[in-house]
Amino acid sequence: MISFIYKKVVLIKSVLYKFVVKRKARSCGQNLRVWRMSKINNNTYLGDNVNFNGMTIVGTGKVVIGNFFHSGTECLLISSNHDYEGTRIPYDSNNIKKEIIIEDFVWMGSRVIVLGGVTIGEGAIVQAGAMVHKDVPKYSIVGGNPAKVIKYRNVEHFLVLKGRGEFH
């Protein structure tokens, strides 16, 4: 009985979290899933089959997340920063917008930080705890602080699965 109630509570929370994200997103594709509290900016564009498990998107820059994206818990995307070369120190009130683009089939582990001005290529995997400040090549697996390429996926296998529509 407790297991049944727990599952119902999780489902109800998921519906609420999804509502909050869809309401804030500039656009949202089909089959959004939001399993933990997630907060996004109002300049976020979501593709189809996006899965958030605790995502925070802050800043004023544009954020585009492609199809079949999966995130771990407590991920953070920062799409703008302060102008430290402006009229005051340590920074002035101007925000510098920096777009973030995450292409299709990206899997991001827990507690990943992505800074503005970054593109994460199709099929990339970002290891838990990584701090991404530069572009991530397609099909690469990156990790660390700063994130570096560890290896590449088997691209031929990836493309076969993609061609067959084997998506999660």
Side-chain angles (χ1 to χ4, degrees):
M1 181 66 170
I2 292 175
S3 175
F4 173 76
I5 293 171
Y6 176 76
K7 287 179 183 177
K8 288 294 183 188
V9 168
V10 167
L11 185 61
I12 290 167
K13 283 183 174 181
S14 175
V15 169
L16 176 64
Y17 300 154
K18 177 180 172 180
F19 173 78
V20 169
V21 168
K22 283 184 87 168
R23 199 165 152 235
K24 188 84 172 186
R26 181 69 55 102
S27 70
C28 183
Q30 298 177 357
N31 302 318
L32 172 68
R33 292 179 189 92
V34 184
W35 298 107
R36 293 189 185 213
M37 176 57 89
S38 297
K39 300 173 189 173
I40 67 170
N41 72 17
N42 61 0
N43 205 10
T44 300
Y45 299 77
L46 304 174
D48 295 333
N49 301 293
V50 169
N51 290 269
F52 287 156
N53 201 11
M55 173 66 70
T56 301
I57 301 173
V58 297
T60 55
K62 182 178 180 180
V63 176
V64 178
I65 297 177
N67 301 323
F68 296 97
F69 170 81
H70 287 259
S71 77
T73 59
E74 300 177 24
C75 292
L76 174 62
L77 280 57
I78 305 171
S79 67
S80 63
N81 62 323
H82 295 290
D83 183 3
Y84 59 86
E85 296 289 351
T87 59
R88 296 188 176 209
I89 51 175
Y91 55 83
D92 65 23
S93 60
N94 294 326
N95 274 333
I96 301 170
K97 295 179 181 182
K98 297 203 172 196
E99 184 174 77
I100 297 172
I101 298 173
I102 300 174
E103 295 180 352
D104 297 343
F105 307 106
V106 170
W107 175 21
M108 187 179 290
S110 294
R111 295 189 172 184
V112 168
I113 298 172
V114 178
L115 300 182
V118 167
T119 296
I120 300 177
E122 178 183 63
I125 298 172
V126 182
Q127 193 177 59
M131 201 291 292
V132 181
H133 75 285
K134 293 194 304 189
D135 289 351
V136 173
K138 289 182 177 189
Y139 317 117
S140 66
I141 300 171
V142 301
N145 181 2
K148 295 180 181 172
V149 175
I150 297 167
K151 65 186 251 183
Y152 284 85
R153 298 177 79 145
N154 179 335
V155 178
E156 186 177 307
H157 179 68
F158 177 91
L159 294 175
V160 166
L161 293 174
K162 181 180 171 184
R164 291 195 316 223
E166 300 288 340
F167 310 137
H168 170 64

